[in-house]
Amino acid sequence: MPNVRAALLAAIGLSVFLPLAHAQVQTQFQSPQILTLTLANEYPATSLPGEGDTAFAKRVAELTTGKIEIRTVFDAKSGFKTVEQLAAVRDKKIDLGDHFAGALGSHDPIYLLSSLPFLTAGEDDARRLYALAKPLYEAAFARANQKLLFATPWPPSGLWTKRAVNDLATVAALKLRTYDSTSSAVFTRLGASAVNISFSEAMGKINSGEVDAVLSSGDGGAGRKLWEFLNHFTAIEYATPLSLVTINLDVWNALDAASRSVIVQAAAGTEALQWQRAKKRVEENYARMRENKMTIVSTMPVALRAALTEAARVEIDTWAARTPEGKAVLERYRGGVQRDK
């Protein structure tokens, strides 16, 4: 019932958390009422974004002494894939969403920025690009009735395959799952049968033979145990994409100012933690993959790298022509970062 929900939201009075004033915070939470909000994520709890959601929920519970509960729902068990989550959060079917940004490219091209190929050479580059683009992300989410809370970087994307990827002929023979329109276009340009589908759909299509390769980081793939089907990982460092956590603006605006301040604090702490975790995540994933008898290829032949880079350049130029604001961010970023290709 909307009126009851609004009353419950308004009833929760929170003080701004200060580490040296925990007793004061506890005093503010004497109300027996608990507000439960749902945070949905298509990816597993063991992925880096999934771990961020769990950390965020735990921090909110700590800062509010349990009076605001963030209920995390992973593996698309909310009933919404990432591409559907934007509308689901907008329409308050779920309160918060953890969105793989590239999957939202059909809603607004700015969401494709973090997954544009071969722009970033690790977490530091990705973080700088995010900082430059954050106002555009915030504006895009506001148009969808949402507030951006925090971002999580994925480890660099690579190719999961059944055999080594060492030349253009091998790439052209792939039936490849990609994760956004740009990556589909890049690999189609190289001759692959590339299809942009959600991760939750990929396993079924691998089982049926419709897909025999996956573009993904070692993180999401490790969480889904892709090694049971695809025993080669080629670390092409295609991109360091982002997942972005948002909250419905109606839910947000119904909270009092102190409650919002606490959630912002929890979000900021979680984002800082996620960037720290990302720095050591690749080696952790590689260790787990090797334990499961994966073959990891960390270098590519020069000719294959050059072909991928050229295909990427064409698609980046196409993207930039669609979004003048995004193009301006890209130019600012490139002015400060030169990646060795």
Side-chain angles (χ1 to χ4, degrees):
M1 298 174 62
N3 291 338
V4 173
R5 183 179 180 82
L8 179 58
L9 287 164
I12 296 184
L14 307 181
S15 66
V16 177
F17 178 81
L18 295 173
L20 299 180
H22 186 64
Q24 179 182 356
V25 173
Q26 289 183 315
T27 302
Q28 296 293 323
F29 298 119
Q30 299 305 312
S31 169
Q33 295 173 309
I34 296 175
L35 173 64
T36 300
L37 303 174
T38 298
L39 169 55
N41 189 339
E42 181 182 351
Y43 288 86
T46 54
S47 66
L48 190 55
E51 291 181 2
D53 296 344
T54 299
F56 173 66
K58 180 180 179 181
R59 190 59 175 151
V60 169
E62 290 173 349
L63 295 180
T64 65
T65 62
K67 297 304 184 261
I68 295 181
E69 176 188 2
I70 307 293
R71 185 175 69 93
T72 52
V73 181
F74 298 107
D75 294 307
K77 291 180 180 177
S78 65
F80 302 105
K81 296 186 283 291
T82 299
V83 70
E84 302 161 338
Q85 275 185 185
L86 193 75
V89 176
R90 179 196 66 201
D91 299 336
K92 215 175 347 180
K93 294 178 181 178
I94 49 179
D95 304 295
L96 301 96
D98 191 331
H99 316 282
F100 178 75
L104 305 181
S106 60
H107 297 284
D108 192 308
I110 194 59
Y111 294 124
L112 293 168
L113 176 59
S114 70
S115 54
L116 291 178
F118 307 114
L119 284 182
T120 58
E123 297 78 18
D124 291 340
D125 284 357
R127 193 169 191 175
R128 180 172 179 272
L129 182 60
Y130 169 61
L132 291 170
K134 187 175 180 180
L136 299 186
Y137 291 136
E138 290 173 330
F141 280 121
R143 291 191 290 272
N145 196 37
Q146 292 165 62
K147 175 180 174 59
L148 175 62
L149 292 178
F150 66 92
T152 291
W154 286 86
S157 309
L159 291 173
W160 292 72
T161 58
K162 293 182 178 180
R163 56 193 178 278
V165 176
N166 48 28
D167 55 29
L168 277 173
T170 306
V171 172
L174 296 178
K175 295 182 287 185
L176 178 66
R177 174 266 177 179
T178 60
Y179 51 57
D180 62 14
S181 58
T182 305
S183 54
S184 287
V186 167
F187 284 94
T188 296
R189 187 173 292 278
L190 297 178
S193 298
V195 56
N196 175 19
I197 58 174
S198 67
F199 207 99
S200 60
E201 296 176 278
M203 299 306 295
K205 292 189 180 295
I206 292 171
N207 278 320
S208 70
E210 295 176 71
V211 166
D212 64 9
V214 170
L215 178 68
S216 176
S217 73
D219 196 75
R224 290 285 188 173
K225 297 186 177 180
L226 273 174
W227 52 68
E228 294 179 7
F229 306 93
L230 308 172
N231 60 4
H232 282 74
F233 180 79
T234 303
I236 64 174
E237 295 189 330
Y238 177 87
T240 304
L242 300 177
S243 279
L244 303 168
V245 173
T246 65
I247 185 170
N248 173 276
L249 272 178
D250 298 326
V251 172
W252 176 256
N253 290 331
L255 293 167
D256 62 38
S259 303
R260 293 194 295 268
S261 179
V262 166
I263 290 176
V264 166
Q265 181 180 345
T270 301
E271 183 170 287
L273 174 66
Q274 293 298 87
W275 286 105
Q276 292 173 3
R277 284 174 168 173
K279 288 184 178 295
K280 60 181 181 180
R281 192 70 172 203
V282 170
E283 286 308 313
E284 292 173 353
N285 287 335
Y286 283 3
R288 187 160 54 246
M289 291 155 72
R290 290 187 180 102
E291 288 172 2
N292 286 273
K293 305 186 187 309
M294 288 282 301
T295 297
I296 299 173
V297 180
S298 57
T299 59
M300 279 194 304
V302 173
L304 180 56
R305 168 69 70 179
L308 278 167
T309 301
E310 176 57 21
R313 183 192 63 77
V314 173
E315 297 307 324
I316 291 171
D317 289 347
T318 299
W319 173 85
R322 296 169 55 199
T323 170
E325 290 182 323
K327 181 180 179 181
V329 166
L330 189 57
E331 289 173 348
R332 289 176 61 197
Y333 169 77
R334 282 172 159 167
V337 173
Q338 293 295 325
R339 176 170 177 159
D340 181 8
K341 297 179 180 177

